[in-house]
Amino acid sequence: MTEQKTSYQMPELPYELSALEPVISAEIMDLHYNKHHKAYVTNLNAALEKYHEAESKKDASAMIALQAAIKFNGGGHINHSIFWTILCPKKEAMTGPQGSLAKAIEKDFGSFEQFKEKLSAAATGIQGSGWAWLGYNKPLKRLEIATCANQDPLSTLNLVPLLGIDVWEHAYYLQYKNVRADYVKAIWQIFNWKNIEERFTKAGH
């Protein structure tokens, strides 16, 4: 029973590794999905196994020591599981959101263009590794742009994740080298707005 609860699995990619070209190359996708994401899942399961062992021995210090590994690898798994679904092949992508999400973006950011500018600036400006997010603040019923360091999930800021841009170097460096801004600009061509809108609806706005 415990094993089922803690044995996290890789999500299936909703498209081929080459499907996001030319924006994201098949080589990057292969490394990003099959190596990096897989490592987060493997390490999360290993850390949770050790955690449950420590818990059964009532070893609080060992449980506390393992929390950093659980947060990092668990966050990596959560973030990437969202990331793959909010992207889609260029030919299937819409230029922007429709309906209630489009209205909410206009209300909270002034216009879609202003929102795009703010999220892009947040992603480009992250020092080191991390993520830039569009999140939904349930208590305040509004959209917010936020950044998270490393693999911290957006839930640590009490926001529901709708759209995230991964700016770890493994997400773009093979293709865009050190010009992160070019990658951030290009990724807008492959956002799956249908999926992002569904997340907005589920957030219970």
Side-chain angles (χ1 to χ4, degrees):
M1 192 74 176
T2 313
E3 197 183 329
Q4 281 180 330
K5 255 195 327 203
T6 59
S7 190
Y8 286 90
Q9 304 287 329
M10 287 283 286
E12 274 189 45
L13 266 189
Y15 36 72
E16 297 296 318
L17 292 172
S18 60
L20 304 181
E21 290 188 334
V23 178
I24 298 175
S25 70
E27 187 185 12
I28 285 177
M29 283 300 297
D30 185 33
L31 284 168
H32 202 169
Y33 175 75
N34 287 317
K35 299 285 191 287
H36 290 280
H37 190 170
K38 192 176 182 184
Y40 296 132
V41 173
T42 302
N43 294 334
L44 172 61
N45 286 328
L48 284 169
E49 207 173 294
K50 286 178 189 165
Y51 184 89
H52 290 311
E53 197 182 312
E55 194 176 28
S56 68
K57 291 175 182 169
K58 294 188 167 45
D59 186 348
S61 59
M63 287 161 70
I64 291 163
L66 285 160
Q67 282 172 12
I70 292 167
K71 183 183 179 185
F72 179 77
N73 292 293
H77 176 49
I78 289 165
N79 292 339
H80 286 87
S81 296
I82 294 168
F83 191 56
W84 310 133
T85 65
I86 61 158
L87 301 177
C88 66
K90 199 174 170 181
K91 61 179 185 294
E92 292 169 25
M94 299 185 293
T95 52
Q98 312 291 317
S100 57
L101 179 57
K103 283 177 193 157
I105 284 172
E106 276 179 34
K107 179 174 76 72
D108 294 328
F109 301 106
S111 70
F112 178 71
E113 280 310 312
Q114 280 178 280
F115 154 66
K116 188 175 173 181
E117 216 172 276
K118 283 178 183 167
L119 185 61
S120 297
T124 308
I126 290 171
Q127 293 188 334
S129 302
W131 292 72
W133 291 96
L134 170 67
Y136 184 66
N137 185 321
K138 273 187 167 186
L140 299 178
K141 292 185 166 28
R142 73 174 185 214
L143 297 168
E144 292 180 16
I145 285 170
T147 59
C148 294
N150 300 313
Q151 292 297 355
D152 289 3
L154 195 58
S155 56
T156 56
L157 301 178
N158 296 315
L159 295 172
V160 180
L162 304 178
L163 181 167
I165 301 176
D166 183 353
V167 294
W168 277 66
E169 285 190 345
H170 64 235
Y172 64 89
Y173 204 87
L174 281 174
Q175 205 171 340
Y176 296 90
K177 305 295 184 257
N178 61 322
V179 192
R180 184 193 284 176
D182 285 356
Y183 157 71
V184 171
K185 187 180 176 186
I187 205 170
W188 288 88
Q189 299 171 53
I190 54 169
F191 280 137
N192 183 346
W193 287 105
K194 191 170 176 291
N195 180 279
I196 296 159
E197 283 168 20
E198 281 166 12
R199 291 181 179 281
F200 181 57
T201 304
K202 279 182 193 159
H205 58 94

